[in-house]
Amino acid sequence: MSALFYSLSPALLAAGTALMIIGSLEACLLTMSQWFIHRRPLATGFLLSVAVLMSFYTWGFAVTIINSQAGIFVLYDYYFGWFVVICLGLGLALLKTTYRFAAAPLLVFLTALLPPIVGFGGKWVLLAAGTFSTTWLGVQVWREWQLLQHDLSPFSIKEALDRPEHGVLFSDSRGHNKLANSSMERLLDTLNLTSLTRYDTLASQLRQLATDKIIPAYTTTEGANEEETTTDTPANFRINAPQGRTWMLNRTQLADKGHILTQLIALDVSKYMSLSQELSDEIDSFQERQKQLAQETARLDEALTKRLVLRTRSSIHDTVSQRISFVHRFLEDGVSDDQRLAQLQALLAKLPTDLSHDRAMIPATVWLDSLQDLATAAQLDLNISGELPVEENRALLFVQVLREGITNVLIHTTSTEMTARMWEDTHSYWLEVSNPGVVTTTPAYGTGLSGLEARLESAGGSLTIVTTPGFTLRARLPRSH
């Protein structure tokens, strides 16, 4: 071997040294990959032997370049003969595993690098085998890098767990924390805690910081520590971090091939707590508005009741007053005509029916015709000009004004004629009821006139009363828009 190395030119020695250094580094990287990532003991041993073989040749090239007499004894074949059996044995054993597709080509190249074969083949076999071996090792390093980037591995799992905003921590049955993602590390750091603490101690510290307990017990499992299996240990609890964020911690136990793992998940529920508080405030506000609505409904009901009573009283007053006014006029006239007495008797007989009748169901035009007939029966010359408002509710109010006017004319005057004039302008409807007779008694604001005025004002209108020289009622109602 020493004669072979000394036969190489300085350029070939430099190239060989560079190739072997690169190959040694590649073999070391692959050794760590097979052990720490894939957990393959046999492949790890084989690649370690490859790294040793590359290191041997690196040493050989180096001591040849510097002409070191102290290290030249390593180049003797019998000092390296033991490695032939180990490297070939591990390589052949790998041919029965899934790693054979990567090991088989490398095993062919490395066989040519073994001292007996190199000594027989010469320097060109040495350089060719070193080139191909280093190249193939580089291909395998590149492939492992691609696996780390795209395939599932412990590193990719750790990277995936670091992406969510929620914290995750796993510990074994002995209380050793095996994995904690970055979110959990940050949470523990804000709480002045660390994942390096044993899980039983860490769980106790977290429970001391809890603001409330939600689910009241862990399930006792084999291998769990005594503190974790107490009946008062909560499975879920909430923690308020110093930065104002709220975390919900959930602890579960997982069984995997006879092993018990403890999983602790920390969920950031700050937004949900904020939304919950907003919802609670909205509910409180809604309940307060509901109370106010109930109070307003009660007041409205009371007002409607009062309005209904007033309306009933007004209706009774209108009907009774009308009948009284006709009786008054009949008595003043000293009527002895059988036909007029029969009309008077009919009016009094219909009084209960008129009091119980739903006046809102009768159109205003029908009431107007009825008033005209009653005025004729009382020998009152009623002259009506103009048209009722097209709006039925306005027309009914005008009929009530006309009825009250007829009643007051019959009671408070001696007139036998009466004029009712209706007109409208851009904004209002108008009704004026008047007679040329002299007012014998002054009309008083009782149930009739005051109630009529209140009804007109509630509709946005007004009522004006003039008693001199004649009796006049002037009513105004606004148009509906």
Side-chain angles (χ1 to χ4, degrees), residues 42-345:
L42 190 60
T44 302
F46 172 69
L47 290 169
L48 181 60
S49 66
V50 172
V52 174
L53 179 62
M54 293 290 187
S55 300
F56 167 77
Y57 280 104
T58 301
W59 176 266
F61 283 116
V63 298
T64 304
I65 292 174
I66 64 176
N67 195 19
S68 172
Q69 297 298 321
I72 202 67
F73 73 96
V74 180
L75 300 180
Y76 290 107
D77 297 350
Y78 63 88
Y79 288 118
F80 205 70
W82 60 270
F83 192 74
V84 176
V85 179
I86 295 176
C87 190
L88 288 178
L90 293 173
L92 292 174
L94 278 177
L95 296 179
K96 296 181 180 181
T97 66
T98 55
Y99 196 65
R100 60 183 176 273
F101 300 104
L106 182 60
L107 186 61
V108 173
F109 301 145
L110 293 178
T111 303
L113 282 178
L114 297 178
I117 298 177
V118 171
F120 179 78
K123 60 182 180 180
W124 297 114
V125 172
L126 172 64
L127 294 175
T131 302
F132 284 114
S133 298
T134 301
T135 303
W136 184 250
L137 288 171
V139 171
Q140 294 305 307
V141 170
W142 176 84
R143 181 175 177 276
E144 287 296 322
W145 175 253
Q146 294 300 310
L147 289 176
L148 288 176
Q149 294 294 318
H150 304 289
D151 289 359
L152 188 64
S153 67
F155 290 101
S156 61
I157 294 175
K158 178 64 169 64
E159 182 180 359
L161 288 176
D162 284 339
R163 289 183 181 274
E165 296 181 358
H166 306 312
V168 180
L169 182 143
F170 294 95
S171 67
D172 58 18
S173 58
R174 295 177 296 176
H176 297 151
N177 296 328
K178 309 300 291 184
L179 176 66
N181 69 348
S182 57
S183 296
M184 180 62 79
E185 294 286 1
R186 287 194 297 269
L187 172 60
L188 295 177
D189 184 62
T190 59
L191 300 174
N192 296 322
L193 302 177
T194 175
S195 61
L196 300 178
T197 308
R198 286 180 57 87
Y199 178 76
D200 52 354
T201 304
L202 179 62
S204 177
Q205 293 171 340
L206 289 173
R207 285 195 300 274
Q208 291 176 2
L209 297 173
T211 57
D212 59 354
K213 275 72 174 177
I214 300 174
I215 298 178
Y218 284 139
T219 301
T220 303
T221 54
E222 183 180 357
N225 58 74
E226 183 179 355
E227 182 180 356
E228 287 296 317
T229 57
T230 57
T231 56
D232 60 346
T233 305
N236 291 296
F237 49 92
R238 188 172 61 193
I239 290 179
N240 294 327
Q243 292 82 1
R245 302 176 69 180
T246 303
W247 296 82
M248 189 72 69
L249 274 70
N250 172 266
R251 180 255 192 200
T252 56
Q253 289 186 337
L254 308 175
D256 180 30
K257 297 180 181 180
H259 299 286
I260 301 298
L261 295 177
T262 300
Q263 173 185 269
L264 183 65
I265 297 179
L267 304 176
D268 186 359
V269 295
S270 304
K271 294 181 180 178
Y272 302 102
M273 295 300 295
S274 176
L275 291 175
S276 177
Q277 184 61 43
E278 291 179 5
L279 179 60
S280 178
D281 294 341
E282 287 293 332
I283 292 175
D284 293 341
S285 176
F286 175 75
Q287 292 177 343
E288 183 64 28
R289 290 196 298 269
Q290 191 175 28
K291 292 180 181 178
Q292 295 176 358
L293 179 60
Q295 295 173 356
E296 291 296 330
T297 302
R299 285 196 291 268
L300 178 61
D301 184 63
E302 182 180 359
L304 290 176
T305 302
K306 292 180 179 179
R307 182 176 179 182
L308 180 60
V309 171
L310 178 61
R311 179 179 175 182
T312 304
R313 290 176 59 190
S314 299
S315 177
I316 293 174
H317 171 270
D318 292 345
T319 304
V320 173
S321 296
Q322 187 183 66
R323 298 303 187 271
I324 292 174
S325 66
F326 278 104
V327 172
H328 179 268
R329 179 55 63 93
F330 273 57
L331 293 176
E332 281 187 345
D333 293 346
V335 176
S336 59
D337 186 355
D338 293 339
Q339 182 178 1
R340 293 187 66 188
L341 289 175
Q343 291 176 343
L344 176 60
Q345 186 178 7

Side-chain angles (χ1 to χ4, degrees), residues 384-390 398 419-434 472-477 479:
I384 301 176
S385 62
E387 299 291 336
L388 288 171
V390 294
F398 272 7
T419 302
R421 187 167 62 94
M422 290 178 284
W423 74 96
E424 60 183 85
D425 56 26
T426 306
H427 303 288
S428 304
Y429 298 109
W430 295 87
L431 169 62
E432 185 177 86
V433 180
S434 61
T472 302
L473 289 179
R474 183 177 294 110
R476 182 191 64 84
L477 285 173
R479 287 176 175 269

Side-chain angles (χ1 to χ4, degrees), residues 29-55:
L29 291 175
L30 291 173
T31 300
M32 291 186 292
S33 170
Q34 293 302 313
W35 177 251
F36 292 108
I37 299 177
H38 303 288
R39 298 293 183 179
R40 296 170 178 166
L42 190 60
T44 302
F46 172 69
L47 290 169
L48 181 60
S49 66
V50 172
V52 174
L53 179 62
M54 293 290 187
S55 300

